[in-house]
Amino acid sequence: VQHVVRFPISKAVPEPEYCAFVAEQGFKVAAFAYNINIAGGYAEYQMALSSRDTGAERRLAQAVAKNENVLEFRLIPSGD
């Protein structure tokens, strides 16, 4: 699963904290990349995630949607 999440620059969650949050939802972070867009005012994290838990995607989507600091997020099946 590919996961992308955007935060306002001033409210971006630190990488270790966000990775721990993702793990709580049943995923392991396989790769992590950053994009800071100064003009757009956002920080974007891009991750490759893995899980054998069939409910993990739904849990992550619901948990991320509850975070008022998230501007946008995506979960994209990787077709493994």
Side-chain angles (χ1 to χ4, degrees), residues 2 6 9 12-14 24 32 41 48-49 55-56 59-60 72 80:
Q2 297 296 315
R6 287 183 181 176
I9 291 173
V13 176
E24 289 171 3
F32 196 101
L49 307 176
R59 275 195 312 279
L60 180 58
E72 176 182 350
D80 305 301

Side-chain angles (χ1 to χ4, degrees), residues 9-76:
I9 291 173
S10 64
K11 297 188 179 189
V13 176
E15 176 189 352
E17 188 176 321
Y18 197 79
C19 288
F21 165 76
V22 168
E24 289 171 3
Q25 311 314 314
F27 282 101
K28 185 163 50 170
V29 177
F32 196 101
Y34 304 89
N35 177 29
I36 304 297
N37 186 310
I38 301 298
Y42 65 84
E44 179 179 271
Y45 297 160
Q46 302 167 6
M47 290 156 264
L49 307 176
S50 63
S51 180
R52 295 182 188 266
D53 181 342
T54 57
E57 289 179 29
R58 180 175 42 254
R59 275 195 312 279
L60 180 58
Q62 291 172 344
V64 173
K66 291 178 184 176
N67 185 328
E68 63 188 30
N69 292 324
V70 170
L71 298 173
E72 176 182 350
F73 75 93
R74 291 181 296 258
L75 286 168
I76 306 148

